[in-house]
């Protein structure tokens, strides 16, 4: 199998054993050009300019999981149950007449997800708990954003 990410917002899989130059599968779900792809025996990982990372099941031809960040996806890598993504903005800094300003919205993000992590929440204060159903993840930009359902 050979996987491509395209500017038309689709991920395409080609079987090199076939003589046809047509894709055997086309996956759509991105809102912008697909910038990163990776595949193994049964799953496909894709990242796009709109900041979305999608994990696909190529056997069932459907999306298993996705996440969104503010900036374009510049790097994705999965191995086993671990996924690393990097989102880097197009503009690195704002400049005015007096100084260069690095604003919070211009910072990139590096995220790590562990899909086999024990997600029990015993011993945590209720303010830290959420009904947000996502694998354990780390955001190294250290933002306190969402979700805090009990606040």
């Amino acid at each position: 199998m050979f996987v491509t990410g395209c500017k038309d917002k689709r991920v395409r899989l080609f079987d090199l054993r076939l003589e046809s130059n047509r894709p055997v599968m086309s996956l759509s779900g991105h809102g912008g050009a697909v910038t990163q792809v990776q595949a193994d025996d049964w799953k496909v990982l894709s990242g796009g300019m709109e900041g979305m990372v999608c994990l696909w099941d190529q056997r069932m031809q459907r999306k298993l999981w996705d996440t969104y960040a503010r900036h374009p996806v510049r790097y994705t890598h999965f191995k086993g149950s671990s996924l690393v993504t990097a989102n880097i903005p197009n503009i690195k800094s704002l400049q005015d007449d007096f100084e260069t300003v690095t604003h919070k919205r211009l910072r990139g993000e590096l995220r790590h997800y562990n899909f086999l992590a024990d997600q029990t929440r015993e011993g945590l204060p209720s303010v830290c708990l959420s009904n947000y159903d996502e694998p354990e993840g780390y955001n190294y930009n250290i933002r306190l954003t969402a979700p805090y359902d009990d606040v």
Side-chain angles (χ1 to χ4, degrees), residues 1-4 12-26 39 41 58:
M1 284 293 203
F2 181 73
V3 62
T4 64
R12 292 185 173 87
L13 281 83
F14 296 86
D15 190 343
L16 300 177
R17 298 170 294 185
L18 302 176
E19 292 184 21
S20 158
N21 289 332
R22 294 196 169 116
V24 294
M25 186 182 316
S26 180
D41 293 338
Q58 62 178 296

Side-chain angles (χ1 to χ4, degrees), residues 10 18 25 48 73 90 125 129 147:
R10 294 182 181 268
L18 302 176
M25 186 182 316
V73 179
N90 290 326
L129 298 177

Side-chain angles (χ1 to χ4, degrees), residues 16-146:
L16 300 177
R17 298 170 294 185
L18 302 176
E19 292 184 21
S20 158
N21 289 332
R22 294 196 169 116
V24 294
M25 186 182 316
S26 180
L27 305 168
S28 59
H30 284 279
V34 178
T35 58
Q36 295 289 315
V37 292
Q38 183 182 349
D40 68 4
D41 293 338
W42 66 273
K43 60 185 175 286
V44 176
L45 178 67
S46 61
M49 284 299 290
E50 80 287 9
M52 184 173 286
V53 175
C54 301
L55 187 62
W56 308 86
D57 185 337
Q58 62 178 296
R59 299 170 299 184
M60 297 178 64
Q61 298 186 20
R62 67 181 200 103
K63 191 185 314 182
L64 296 173
W65 178 85
D66 64 14
T67 187
Y68 177 80
R70 176 183 301 213
H71 302 297
V73 179
R74 305 292 186 183
Y75 176 81
T76 58
H77 180 74
F78 68 83
K79 185 173 183 180
S81 64
S82 184
L83 167 64
V84 175
T85 65
N87 300 72
I88 302 170
N90 290 326
I91 301 171
K92 303 295 188 275
S93 64
L94 294 174
Q95 293 185 357
D96 60 17
D97 294 337
F98 301 105
E99 61 182 297
T100 301
V101 178
T102 303
H103 193 272
K104 189 192 298 192
R105 68 187 161 115
L106 298 176
R107 295 181 192 161
E109 294 180 338
L110 177 63
R111 296 180 178 184
H112 175 256
Y113 299 94
N114 183 359
F115 290 95
L116 288 182
D118 180 11
Q119 296 182 29
T120 60
R121 305 291 189 227
E122 292 179 30
L124 291 177
S126 63
V127 72
C128 297
L129 298 177
S130 170
N131 62 4
Y132 190 65
D133 188 21
E134 184 171 318
E136 180 179 303
Y138 302 98
N139 183 345
Y140 292 104
N141 194 16
I142 312 300
R143 292 181 304 160
L144 294 176
T145 54

